[in-house]
Amino acid sequence: MADGSSQPRILAIHAHPDDVEFQIAGTLALLKEKGCHITIATMTAGDPGSAELSQTEIANIRRKEAKVAADMMGADYMCLEFGDLAIVVDDVSRRRVTEAIRRARPNVVITAPPVDYMADHEVTSRLVRDALFSASVPFYKTHEWDAAKPTEKIPHLYYCDPIEGVDWFGNAVPYDFIVDISKTFDLKLKMLAAHDSQRAWLRRQHGVDEYLNSCTTWSQTRGKLIGKTYGEAFRQHKGHPYPHSNILADLLGPLCHVAKS
Ligand SMILES: [Zn+2]
């Protein structure tokens, strides 16, 4: 694969610090065990996530928390430095995401779903999908200093769950398969707990450890559908020109439970 190893390079890219932990980390940990190289990327540093600190102060804290979480898995971490509630589809943004993809050089990308409860998630999904195509186009320049070279081919693309698995109207969003993450759930929860500033903030707001509780409950909800303790659900992008083979199912074997159609 891209780095000369025999296993695929995986890029998990979502909007905010903690989104990857909430929706994808259990599966990433399984893929890491299979020898895959993992990169976790967030579009923002989570700058408005505090009532007391300045945007710069909280962004610095949250970037560090995201790195600590990624280190627990042995994953690389990068932040694309967009602002919270300010991720938009435009030329500059598409070039920035393209540069990140060229640097990560993934064979597999897992990102936010096209429909979710907030714009940052939906726009991330759109930018990543567009940029994966742009990344392979030789004449498409990112205008970055020391720009990475174009990618060789379009990676496999997957979407994680939207929050609570529903669309704007409360209808369940379909999934293609659920991964049994029972083996890696403890690590997933520890990674989420590393986002201590968010956890503390939500604990003050709700009076309970809402952060970890909601992740546990959602993972149990997905796991129950396949008769396992914990699960994460995914949908594959199969539009032109993305590969159709299910490389995650091939890598994960019996841990991947494909939905019956
Ligand atoms: Zn988010």
Side-chain angles (χ1 to χ4, degrees), residues 28-153:
L28 292 180
L30 292 170
L31 292 167
K32 179 70 185 171
E33 285 180 8
K34 302 281 181 192
C36 297
H37 178 277
I38 311 287
T39 301
I40 295 174
T42 61
M43 296 289 274
T44 85
D47 46 296
S50 170
E52 297 93 21
L53 302 173
S54 73
Q55 289 201 341
T56 306
E57 285 170 328
I58 189 64
N60 285 339
I61 289 169
R62 296 199 65 190
R63 232 182 260 111
K64 277 189 198 135
E65 290 172 347
K67 173 80 169 66
V68 166
D71 283 348
M72 287 178 181
M73 184 192 287
D76 290 345
Y77 171 68
M78 66 172 151
C79 176
L80 278 69
E81 303 297 341
F82 287 92
D84 268 41
L85 306 175
I87 307 174
V88 294
V89 176
D90 63 13
D91 186 58
V92 172
S93 305
R94 195 179 288 112
R95 288 181 201 275
R96 194 186 302 177
V97 179
T98 299
E99 180 64 29
I101 287 161
R102 286 177 175 169
R103 288 181 188 181
R105 312 203 76 70
N107 308 102
V108 179
V109 175
I110 310 175
T111 192
V115 172
D116 206 341
Y117 81 108
M118 74 172 304
D120 279 355
H121 289 200
E122 295 184 353
V123 177
T124 295
S125 187
R126 172 65 195 275
L127 281 171
V128 169
R129 175 164 62 85
D130 288 350
L132 287 171
F133 180 79
S134 313
S136 68
V137 178
F139 65 76
Y140 189 75
K141 306 292 183 203
T142 61
H143 307 315
E144 295 283 335
W145 181 79
D146 196 23
K149 65 181 196 300
T151 50
E152 285 81 24
K153 57 182 188 178

Side-chain angles (χ1 to χ4, degrees), residues 66-260:
K67 173 80 169 66
V68 166
D71 283 348
M72 287 178 181
M73 184 192 287
D76 290 345
Y77 171 68
M78 66 172 151
C79 176
L80 278 69
E81 303 297 341
F82 287 92
D84 268 41
L85 306 175
I87 307 174
V88 294
V89 176
D90 63 13
D91 186 58
V92 172
S93 305
R94 195 179 288 112
R95 288 181 201 275
R96 194 186 302 177
V97 179
T98 299
E99 180 64 29
I101 287 161
R102 286 177 175 169
R103 288 181 188 181
R105 312 203 76 70
N107 308 102
V108 179
V109 175
I110 310 175
T111 192
V115 172
D116 206 341
Y117 81 108
M118 74 172 304
D120 279 355
H121 289 200
E122 295 184 353
V123 177
T124 295
S125 187
R126 172 65 195 275
L127 281 171
V128 169
R129 175 164 62 85
D130 288 350
L132 287 171
F133 180 79
S134 313
S136 68
V137 178
F139 65 76
Y140 189 75
K141 306 292 183 203
T142 61
H143 307 315
E144 295 283 335
W145 181 79
D146 196 23
K149 65 181 196 300
T151 50
E152 285 81 24
K153 57 182 188 178
I154 309 281
H156 289 72
L157 174 60
Y158 295 88
Y159 302 116
C160 67
D161 269 333
I163 291 289
E164 296 173 355
V166 294
D167 65 16
W168 303 337
F169 308 98
N171 299 316
V173 168
Y175 56 85
D176 291 335
F177 57 92
I178 295 176
V179 177
D180 173 10
I181 60 157
S182 306
K183 189 180 165 197
T184 52
F185 180 76
D186 284 351
L187 174 59
K188 173 185 168 86
L189 211 61
K190 277 189 195 125
M191 287 174 68
L192 189 63
H195 296 270
D196 201 44
S197 61
Q198 288 310 283
R199 187 182 172 195
W201 186 61
L202 287 171
R203 204 157 30 193
R204 277 198 303 278
Q205 297 278 106
H206 297 273
V208 290
D209 207 338
E210 177 68 17
Y211 205 45
L212 304 189
N213 289 349
S214 58
C215 180
T216 302
T217 305
W218 181 244
S219 303
Q220 286 170 334
T221 302
R222 283 321 203 188
K224 202 171 173 189
L225 293 171
I226 54 170
K228 303 294 176 185
T229 312
Y230 300 107
E232 287 172 344
F234 299 94
R235 198 174 187 188
Q236 186 171 5
H237 186 95
K238 291 186 178 170
H240 180 80
Y242 289 82
H244 287 196
S245 63
N246 191 346
I247 189 172
L248 288 187
D250 294 343
L251 283 163
L252 295 166
L255 292 171
C256 183
H257 297 248
V258 178
K260 292 176 187 72

